[in-house]
Amino acid sequence: MAKQKASTRNGAGWMGGGYPFRTLPDHLRPGLDLVFVGINPGLYSVQRGHYFARSTSRFWPAFSKSKLSERVRRALGTNTLRAEHDAELPCFGIGFTDVVKRPSANAKDLSASDFEKWVPHLLDNLRRYQPLVACFHGLTAYRPFVKLALKSGDPVPMLGRQREAIGATRLYVVPNPSPANAHFTLAEQTLWYDRLADFLAGCEARTVLKPAPLGLGGDR
């Protein structure tokens, strides 16, 4: 038992997801408000066993400063959330997954066949768990998904709310928090999570008033 716990700390939780290689586990369950979708796990994050594990990533600092994480911070009694908190966030309605589960040193290492293989897997998960919102980190993650999963999409999708949906799940895109994405500052990344919080609140209100029908479709 001790050996099993140690392996989980080192990121071997991948076996629970049934993947044939070491990767990050999907933190998914029914009833989630929000699922963050990355392009694919980085090798360092897989080694540490947590999403956005690099200290240079803007995700955890920006998420911690945003109103999107207020309820989580109050419940956990901390002002700063870290990568080690990722597995706890589903208890607060926030999950994590990726477009492609195969890890790599850089997203540029992914091939077209990677997306063709893994997009259907993500689509199945979104249909199965039906979160209110699926938020993609970066257009590089969103474009191949919407092209392969929905066979459609805006010719030039922009950040923010998307017109496509997966059943009751609305789609949203924020900047990639990777340090390699130098176009956005920490403050700008935080602002995008604030905007996402507002969008999520609106989706919750619409869900209470008029549930969206199942199946592929646009905004209701």
Side-chain angles (χ1 to χ4, degrees):
M1 180 64 69
K3 182 177 180 181
Q4 183 179 11
K5 289 182 178 179
S7 65
T8 301
R9 286 197 300 269
N10 289 331
W14 56 277
M15 293 188 68
Y19 296 117
F21 44 74
R22 188 177 182 185
T23 188
L24 291 175
D26 296 312
H27 294 313
L28 299 172
R29 63 173 62 172
L32 292 175
D33 298 322
L34 172 67
V35 170
F36 282 117
V37 183
I39 186 167
N40 78 310
L43 294 178
Y44 182 81
S45 289
V46 171
Q47 181 183 15
R48 298 300 299 267
H50 297 288
Y51 285 81
F52 304 105
R54 283 196 180 278
S55 60
T56 52
S57 171
R58 290 190 299 272
F59 175 76
W60 292 105
F63 181 64
S64 295
K65 293 177 179 292
S66 74
K67 58 186 177 183
L68 186 61
S69 68
E70 283 179 358
R71 185 164 65 96
V72 182
R73 287 183 278 115
R74 285 198 305 268
L76 296 181
T78 181
N79 291 324
T80 304
L81 297 168
R82 306 182 189 282
E84 291 74 16
H85 290 113
D86 60 356
E88 298 181 64
L89 290 191
C91 297
F92 301 96
I94 300 175
F96 292 88
T97 189
D98 305 282
V99 178
V100 174
K101 292 306 296 185
R102 182 178 75 82
S104 64
N106 193 299
K108 294 180 180 179
D109 297 333
L110 298 178
S111 66
S113 62
D114 284 315
F115 291 103
E116 291 168 358
K117 175 180 179 179
W118 289 102
V119 162
H121 178 78
L122 173 58
L123 180 61
D124 286 346
N125 275 338
L126 293 179
R127 285 172 169 166
R128 175 183 179 185
Y129 294 107
Q130 299 182 47
L132 283 177
V133 175
C135 176
F136 289 75
H137 273 115
L139 290 168
T140 303
Y142 179 71
R143 287 191 193 101
F145 171 80
V146 74
K147 178 181 178 181
L148 294 169
L150 304 185
K151 313 299 182 183
S152 65
D154 291 324
V156 185
M158 305 293 287
L159 295 175
R161 170 185 178 176
Q162 306 300 307
R163 67 178 184 177
E164 294 81 16
I166 305 296
T169 301
R170 270 73 173 186
L171 305 180
Y172 201 90
V173 182
V174 298
N176 188 334
S178 167
N181 185 12
H183 299 292
F184 294 91
T185 65
L186 176 60
E188 290 169 332
Q189 191 80 30
T190 303
L191 178 60
W192 274 106
Y193 293 138
D194 286 340
R195 292 170 177 166
L196 175 59
D198 293 338
F199 177 72
L200 180 61
C203 288
E204 291 172 336
R206 286 194 294 274
T207 301
V208 171
L209 294 174
K210 183 179 180 181
L214 296 178
L216 298 181
D219 292 321
R220 298 294 189 268

